[in-house]
Amino acid sequence: MKKVSSIIAATALMIGAACSVSSAATATKAKKAAMKEWTFAVFLNADNNLDRFGVEDQEEMARVGSNENLNVVTLIDRERGPAQINYIEKGNIKKIKDMGEMDMGDYKELVKFTKFIKENYPAKHYMIGIWNHGSGWKAKQDEVVRGVSYDDSSNNHITNDQLAIATKEMAQVLGQKIDIINMDCCLMGMAEVAYAIKDNCDYFVGSEETEAGKGTPYDDVLKGWKAGMTPKQLASHWVDAYAESYNGGSQGRDDSTQSAYDLSKTDAFLDAMNGFAKAIMAGKYADKVMAAAGKTVKFAYPQNIDLGHFLKNLRPEVTGDSSVITAMDKLEKAIKALVINNKTTARYGMNKYAEAQGVAVYLPYNLAIESKYLTLDYSKNVLWDDMLMALREQRDVAKTVKAVCKGDFKGLKSAISEAKKNPRSKYARALLRELNYTAYTEKKIPAKDQAEFDKLFKDLKSAMQTR
């Protein structure tokens, strides 16, 4: 979500807007334009507390506007008003079509808007912007609430998995991959989001951290949008213009992060993530992983950490394991290939994001994994969640073994109860293995507790043999 801590009443600030909105209420159908080099279309969901920023951002666009090479088009839904499609000209926001009240939290509306763009503003290249609150992904009780494009009128939003469906259908409508998808939203610069859109978009621009309410400096971005720019050049330019604006430029000084991703590198990146996960799961690194995560750059959701900085912090802890080091080398190389540009700025003095390398990933404190994370398509196809669960199991087993060695059998008794209910319990199986080694090879059980331990160990073993 964009930060709105400084939002004041919007009404007075909208008076005297610099750009006029065409009053052509009869213009219900866009005049079909000739093929241009680029069409930049923004799905501008301001039906929430970001309303005034949506108005301001259209005004920023109109300071530059469309030209012979570029169409700039918005679908804006206001907080207390109907939606409309606008064509942004220099000095003029021209209403093209009234849309009535819309649910912009419905991914199907994003697909319909793409169809309108294709039919009325054809281009060789398309950049689609999603403008609104964003949260990467997040679970709250039994409801998945992380996603993007929150509509306060409908209380709906586009989930991470729906984003995958939407971009697939959008690419089908366009007859080509989306050249660039930009999310002028908070917290979307994540591995999990890149996974969702990787097959349907060439490039992605987004932020690891929350964005200031003012979001993208659209006038700065459009001023630098040159004829002949490739999608890669444009995505990288976007990051540069964004950072410059928050580093004493048009937006002043504020904390910001912005990254551009080459999504053709996503599969190699995910393969490297899997290799790293396998290497970590082969050892006993729960404490070291959590220690490294504790020192890593975090964002508004502290479960979101910068992946590259995490690897840097973990490296000194695993120097003796060549397989982990090799896997880390491969993953660090994959991050550099995926993130083609990454910039951060600071509001006051020290830049707390200076070590961020451009892509965040979910790694919750104390390995308290939210259950809905496991339901994501990403989690079903990438081993990151398997690694998190294995580390949690390692940590819990080590804690119970340590307690047993001190004569505390509370955790062991709980494991026996769990094994009776579920003889295939991975945790109970791992605990049995560790206790067998600790008690009968290392002989660490106090003599006074040995008899009670032997009985409980036999009970655990028996419970796991139950069918």
Side-chain angles (χ1 to χ4, degrees), residues 133-271:
H133 289 297
S135 57
W137 93 274
K138 172 69 180 175
K140 181 180 180 182
Q141 295 179 351
D142 292 328
E143 180 184 5
V144 175
V145 298
R146 280 201 192 184
V148 72
S149 195
Y150 295 79
D151 187 305
D152 282 6
S153 293
S154 66
N155 291 319
N156 198 10
H157 73 283
I158 299 172
T159 68
N160 202 50
D161 287 348
Q162 287 173 345
L163 192 58
I165 298 169
T167 53
K168 179 179 180 179
E169 294 184 9
M170 291 160 70
Q172 289 171 344
V173 165
L174 295 175
Q176 63 187 71
K177 285 188 178 183
I178 303 164
D179 291 276
I180 308 174
I181 191 159
N182 165 247
M183 296 190 195
D184 194 6
C185 318
C186 295
L187 302 163
M188 298 301 285
M190 299 189 73
E192 291 84 348
V193 176
Y195 173 88
I197 63 176
K198 68 183 179 69
D199 295 328
N200 310 303
C201 312
D202 287 329
Y203 294 90
F204 165 40
V205 180
S207 173
E208 291 183 272
E209 182 55 291
T210 54
E211 292 191 350
K214 292 182 286 188
T216 295
Y218 287 96
D219 46 351
D220 292 343
V221 170
L222 291 173
K223 277 187 289 190
W225 196 318
K226 306 298 184 185
M229 263 189 170
T230 65
K232 183 176 182 178
Q233 289 170 335
L234 178 56
S236 185
H237 157 69
W238 190 287
V239 173
D240 290 338
Y242 191 105
E244 186 177 341
S245 76
Y246 283 103
N247 196 30
S250 63
Q251 310 288 52
R253 290 193 180 276
D254 210 337
D255 296 328
S256 78
T257 63
Q258 199 76 179
S259 301
Y261 309 86
D262 179 352
L263 295 178
S264 71
K265 309 298 184 183
T266 311
D267 285 341
F269 164 72
L270 296 171
D271 180 64

Side-chain angles (χ1 to χ4, degrees), residues 25-32 95-98 116 120-121:
T26 58
T28 58
K29 187 175 181 181
K31 181 183 290 186
K32 190 167 183 177
K95 181 163 70 175
I96 298 300
K97 187 175 182 180
D98 286 311
F116 179 89
N120 294 278
Y121 300 103

Side-chain angles (χ1 to χ4, degrees), residues 159-432:
T159 68
N160 202 50
D161 287 348
Q162 287 173 345
L163 192 58
I165 298 169
T167 53
K168 179 179 180 179
E169 294 184 9
M170 291 160 70
Q172 289 171 344
V173 165
L174 295 175
Q176 63 187 71
K177 285 188 178 183
I178 303 164
D179 291 276
I180 308 174
I181 191 159
N182 165 247
M183 296 190 195
D184 194 6
C185 318
C186 295
L187 302 163
M188 298 301 285
M190 299 189 73
E192 291 84 348
V193 176
Y195 173 88
I197 63 176
K198 68 183 179 69
D199 295 328
N200 310 303
C201 312
D202 287 329
Y203 294 90
F204 165 40
V205 180
S207 173
E208 291 183 272
E209 182 55 291
T210 54
E211 292 191 350
K214 292 182 286 188
T216 295
Y218 287 96
D219 46 351
D220 292 343
V221 170
L222 291 173
K223 277 187 289 190
W225 196 318
K226 306 298 184 185
M229 263 189 170
T230 65
K232 183 176 182 178
Q233 289 170 335
L234 178 56
S236 185
H237 157 69
W238 190 287
V239 173
D240 290 338
Y242 191 105
E244 186 177 341
S245 76
Y246 283 103
N247 196 30
S250 63
Q251 310 288 52
R253 290 193 180 276
D254 210 337
D255 296 328
S256 78
T257 63
Q258 199 76 179
S259 301
Y261 309 86
D262 179 352
L263 295 178
S264 71
K265 309 298 184 183
T266 311
D267 285 341
F269 164 72
L270 296 171
D271 180 64
M273 284 190 75
N274 285 340
F276 172 76
K278 289 176 183 177
I280 289 294
M281 286 188 284
K284 295 181 180 179
Y285 291 113
D287 290 343
K288 292 179 178 180
V289 164
M290 295 315 298
K295 296 182 286 187
T296 297
V297 172
K298 298 172 184 63
F299 304 102
Y301 290 152
Q303 309 99 316
N304 293 8
I305 67 167
D306 182 82
L307 179 57
H309 190 219
F310 164 70
L311 295 175
K312 180 180 178 181
N313 288 327
L314 182 62
R315 185 175 287 274
E317 305 295 326
V318 296
T319 52
D321 191 328
S322 60
S323 63
V324 174
I325 292 296
T326 299
M328 288 176 65
D329 289 343
K330 182 178 178 181
L331 183 51
E332 286 173 341
K333 184 177 179 180
I335 292 170
K336 288 183 172 66
L338 175 71
V339 182
I340 60 171
N341 197 0
N342 171 53
K343 294 286 195 306
T344 65
T345 65
R347 187 173 187 178
Y348 302 113
M350 185 177 295
N351 184 347
K352 59 186 176 181
Y353 308 115
E355 296 270 20
Q357 296 178 30
V359 59
V361 71
Y362 177 73
L363 202 166
Y365 171 75
N366 209 27
L367 297 168
I369 306 160
E370 296 158 270
S371 60
K372 288 297 180 180
Y373 185 75
L374 307 179
T375 69
L376 295 175
D377 286 344
Y378 166 87
S379 295
K380 294 171 185 174
N381 293 285
V382 181
L383 295 177
W384 189 258
D385 62 309
D386 299 80
M387 181 193 77
L388 297 181
M389 289 188 291
L391 290 170
R392 184 176 66 182
E393 180 184 280
Q394 277 180 24
R395 181 205 61 196
D396 292 347
V397 165
K399 183 178 179 181
T400 300
V401 170
K402 186 176 181 181
V404 166
C405 290
K406 293 180 179 179
D408 179 356
F409 298 131
K410 200 176 297 181
L412 174 53
K413 290 175 181 177
S414 294
I416 293 168
S417 296
E418 179 184 331
K420 286 178 179 178
K421 296 174 186 174
N422 176 20
R424 297 182 181 277
S425 166
K426 290 183 179 180
Y427 167 72
R429 190 171 300 280
L431 179 60
L432 182 71

Side-chain angles (χ1 to χ4, degrees), residues 6-214:
S6 61
I7 295 180
I8 316 171
T11 307
L13 292 170
M14 292 180 198
I15 297 175
C19 302
S20 63
V21 177
S22 172
S23 61
T26 58
T28 58
K29 187 175 181 181
K31 181 183 290 186
K32 190 167 183 177
M35 173 79 73
K36 290 190 179 181
E37 186 178 3
W38 279 95
T39 289
F40 174 43
V42 185
F43 190 71
L44 208 162
N45 181 0
D47 195 355
N48 46 57
N49 59 354
L50 297 175
D51 182 81
R52 81 171 175 93
F53 294 112
V55 173
E56 290 175 3
D57 280 354
Q58 284 194 133
E59 292 169 0
E60 286 180 351
M61 295 175 203
R63 289 174 194 154
V64 179
S66 304
N67 56 46
E68 65 274 14
N69 299 306
L70 171 67
N71 297 307
V72 182
V73 189
T74 64
L75 167 55
I76 182 170
D77 188 12
R78 299 289 303 280
E79 185 175 22
R80 288 175 293 275
Q84 65 187 51
I85 294 177
N86 296 321
Y87 187 76
I88 311 297
E89 301 173 330
K90 185 174 177 59
N92 186 42
I93 301 169
K94 181 180 180 181
K95 181 163 70 175
I96 298 300
K97 187 175 182 180
D98 286 311
M99 301 298 291
E101 181 53 44
M102 294 181 67
D103 177 7
M104 291 184 73
D106 183 350
Y107 79 88
K108 296 184 183 71
E109 297 296 348
L110 177 56
V111 177
K112 289 177 187 176
F113 179 48
T114 304
K115 187 172 186 293
F116 179 89
I117 293 301
K118 171 68 174 176
E119 292 173 349
N120 294 278
Y121 300 103
K124 295 177 182 177
H125 301 290
Y126 295 90
M127 183 170 189
I128 308 291
I130 300 176
W131 186 108
N132 184 248
H133 289 297
S135 57
W137 93 274
K138 172 69 180 175
K140 181 180 180 182
Q141 295 179 351
D142 292 328
E143 180 184 5
V144 175
V145 298
R146 280 201 192 184
V148 72
S149 195
Y150 295 79
D151 187 305
D152 282 6
S153 293
S154 66
N155 291 319
N156 198 10
H157 73 283
I158 299 172
T159 68
N160 202 50
D161 287 348
Q162 287 173 345
L163 192 58
I165 298 169
T167 53
K168 179 179 180 179
E169 294 184 9
M170 291 160 70
Q172 289 171 344
V173 165
L174 295 175
Q176 63 187 71
K177 285 188 178 183
I178 303 164
D179 291 276
I180 308 174
I181 191 159
N182 165 247
M183 296 190 195
D184 194 6
C185 318
C186 295
L187 302 163
M188 298 301 285
M190 299 189 73
E192 291 84 348
V193 176
Y195 173 88
I197 63 176
K198 68 183 179 69
D199 295 328
N200 310 303
C201 312
D202 287 329
Y203 294 90
F204 165 40
V205 180
S207 173
E208 291 183 272
E209 182 55 291
T210 54
E211 292 191 350
K214 292 182 286 188

